[in-house]
Amino acid sequence: VPVLVDSLGHKNVEVRRLAAQTLWPMRIGDKSVVIALAYGLGDEDDQFRMMCINALEQLGPQAKLAGPKLKGALTDMNPHVRQQAFALLRTIGEDPKDALRKGLASKDDKVRINTASLMVVFGVEIDAAMPVLVDALQHDDLGLRMQAASTLGQRRLQTDKVVPIFVAGLKHKSSGVRVQAAQGLSQMGQNAKSAAPSLVRVLGDQDASVRQ
């Protein structure tokens, strides 16, 4: 286990991923494991962060030491990471609402938009969060437009603006964004019919998750 914990900070991303993947089902609530996994939530690699939050989720209340890092993960670009962080904070007895209000008031567009998306998903002060998402559909950053589009798409809102954003997302360099785009279109059902040709093209994507 100490070797695996050290490997969570390895310079090679594949080593980091394998270490987290191995610790995930072991459910070891030792302080060193929890802290190392918590720091992994700030990693630049999308897959590694997912593995770290999954490993922490397996620990349940034993993950309490990860509380501060989990609050930081509430604004993660990956919606699965921030949603799991929100749920885990509740499990360990931490109230995420103050962190969400702070995030919604942030001057950082990424923090504000991702926070608004999470609030709408979990039904936390939706009236305050919705205007942020609608405004975000016009943002210059495709990744942030995708965050807003994904949440609004689930609710079948602003469909005429949301579908083109997802189609653009299918071409993004990040596989995580491409997966999110495909999932967003699938959630919209018949409202996303115009995106069919683009979806057919990504059946040849290099990433298996995108193809699926």
Side-chain angles (χ1 to χ4, degrees):
V1 170
V3 175
L4 290 170
V5 169
D6 287 343
S7 297
L8 291 173
H10 199 280
K11 63 181 181 180
N12 187 311
V13 67
E14 293 295 341
V15 175
R16 298 200 301 275
R17 289 174 182 172
L18 286 169
Q21 190 175 20
T22 304
L23 285 167
W24 176 356
M26 294 173 72
R27 299 184 180 182
I28 297 174
D30 182 82
K31 178 180 178 180
S32 65
V33 176
V34 175
I35 291 176
L37 289 170
Y39 270 94
L41 297 177
D43 195 270
E44 62 182 16
D45 182 68
D46 190 66
Q47 290 186 41
F48 179 61
R49 297 198 311 279
M50 279 291 296
M51 291 173 180
C52 286
I53 193 68
N54 286 335
L56 287 168
E57 190 175 44
Q58 291 296 315
L59 299 178
Q62 290 182 296
K64 191 168 183 64
L65 284 174
K69 295 295 183 182
L70 288 169
K71 288 184 179 180
L74 292 174
T75 60
D76 196 280
M77 283 298 288
N78 187 313
H80 299 294
V81 173
R82 58 178 185 260
Q83 288 172 24
Q84 285 177 267
F86 181 92
L88 186 51
L89 280 167
R90 284 182 164 176
T91 298
I92 64 176
E94 296 274 355
D95 188 351
K97 289 184 179 179
D98 287 342
L100 291 175
R101 293 189 188 106
K102 182 179 178 181
L104 196 65
S106 174
K107 294 182 179 179
D108 186 319
D109 290 350
K110 172 187 171 184
V111 172
R112 190 172 61 258
I113 293 168
N114 289 347
T115 300
S117 178
L118 186 64
M119 292 172 72
V120 170
V121 168
F122 282 99
V124 179
E125 300 178 16
I126 294 178
D127 290 343
M130 279 295 290
V132 174
L133 293 182
V134 174
D135 288 345
L137 294 177
Q138 307 298 323
H139 201 281
D140 293 337
D141 187 300
L142 175 59
L144 293 178
R145 292 203 305 275
M146 284 281 298
Q147 298 300 318
S150 179
T151 303
L152 293 172
Q154 290 177 33
R155 291 173 166 257
R156 311 289 174 89
L157 299 172
Q158 305 282 325
T159 56
D160 58 326
K161 298 177 182 178
V162 167
V163 171
I165 293 173
F166 284 141
V167 170
L170 294 174
K171 303 174 184 177
H172 198 273
K173 63 181 180 180
S174 168
S175 62
V177 173
R178 298 199 303 277
V179 168
Q180 187 180 356
Q183 290 175 338
L185 289 167
S186 71
Q187 292 169 342
M188 297 181 69
Q190 291 293 320
N191 289 320
K193 191 173 183 178
S194 62
S198 297
L199 286 168
V200 170
R201 281 194 292 274
V202 296
L203 290 176
D205 195 278
Q206 62 183 357
D207 188 284
S209 298
V210 178
R211 297 196 301 271
Q212 291 169 12

